[in-house]
Amino acid sequence: MFAAAATHRRPASHTSLRGHLRRAAGRDHNPLCRPLDRAYSRLVTGVALMVLVTLVLAAVAALLVYRSEAHDAAHAARHRHVVTAVTTGPAQSDDPRAGSTREHAPARWTYPVGPGAGSIPVPDGTTTGAALPVGLNDAGQPVGAPRSNGLLVSDAVLVGVGAVTALGFGTEGWIALRRRRLDRRAEADWESAWEQVEPGWSGRR
């Protein structure tokens, strides 16, 4: 049974990519090369090209995201000013019911635009009257620290991987559809050729 299955299996192609390129361009002068073989070679070269384009587009998308976020982080850093704030109450969890580990405390500070007050992030267990650094924007409002370069790189990598995945699924679908059409074409050509050869081969002529 396995021997019979192996007999009908399409032989593996050992043609190099360069050979496929020559065949797809019509530069393979082998008399046994069929139009269907050239179609398969065009599929192979098309897949190689689409893989290359996918990687390039993913790299470009990742680079654009990184540069955009790095620009925003640099802009935020230029407009972030660190001053000393004094807490006016003890630290409290953001949401005790959710088991949050972040702590905030009310605080007051002085800034060129005038005195300010608000809730700032503090270490766990901070008591009233503690002096802590706080980042303020140009309007004197508390702002978080700019995102680290590691986080920017992580975002860019995620975008690149997402682009490769999305484009890869599209490429895979196109390959499967094109391969199915070529397989049907191969079967039709084989049946047509067999109809011409079979009578002589079987002796029915």
Side-chain angles (χ1 to χ4, degrees):
M1 180 176 67
F2 291 105
T7 302
H8 294 84
R9 189 178 301 157
R10 180 177 294 134
S13 174
H14 299 288
T15 306
S16 65
L17 180 58
R18 183 177 181 181
H20 281 297
L21 288 171
R22 288 177 58 85
R23 185 180 297 168
R27 299 177 60 186
D28 186 348
H29 303 298
N30 188 334
L32 299 179
C33 182
R34 304 165 299 171
L36 182 62
D37 296 325
R38 295 190 181 93
Y40 274 113
S41 290
R42 285 194 292 270
L43 175 62
V44 172
T45 55
V47 169
L49 179 61
M50 293 180 74
V51 169
L52 178 61
V53 170
T54 296
L55 294 177
V56 171
L57 291 178
V60 170
L63 179 60
L64 290 176
V65 168
Y66 175 81
R67 294 181 65 176
S68 175
E69 293 193 356
H71 177 270
D72 293 342
H75 181 271
R78 287 194 300 269
H79 294 273
R80 182 175 182 269
H81 315 279
V82 179
V83 300
T84 299
V86 178
T87 59
T88 58
Q92 294 184 351
S93 176
D94 289 352
D95 188 355
R97 294 173 300 176
S100 175
T101 58
R102 298 191 62 183
E103 301 283 336
H104 280 73
R108 294 184 179 276
W109 57 84
T110 302
Y111 189 62
V113 297
S119 179
I120 62 172
V122 297
D124 184 20
T126 299
T127 59
T128 303
L132 299 170
V134 60
L136 306 176
N137 59 19
D138 294 336
Q141 300 171 338
V143 292
R147 304 187 69 194
S148 67
N149 189 67
L151 290 176
L152 302 184
V153 172
S154 296
D155 285 351
V157 170
L158 288 176
V159 169
V161 171
V164 168
T165 302
L167 294 174
F169 276 121
T171 300
E172 185 176 359
W174 177 82
I175 293 171
L177 179 61
R178 180 60 178 164
R179 185 62 183 265
R180 192 176 300 114
R181 289 178 177 175
L182 290 177
D183 287 344
R184 282 200 292 262
R185 177 179 166 186
E187 291 177 1
D189 290 348
W190 184 89
E191 291 176 357
S192 176
W194 180 247
E195 289 176 357
Q196 299 177 14
V197 173
E198 189 273 337
W201 176 81
S202 63
R204 292 192 297 111
R205 285 185 177 180

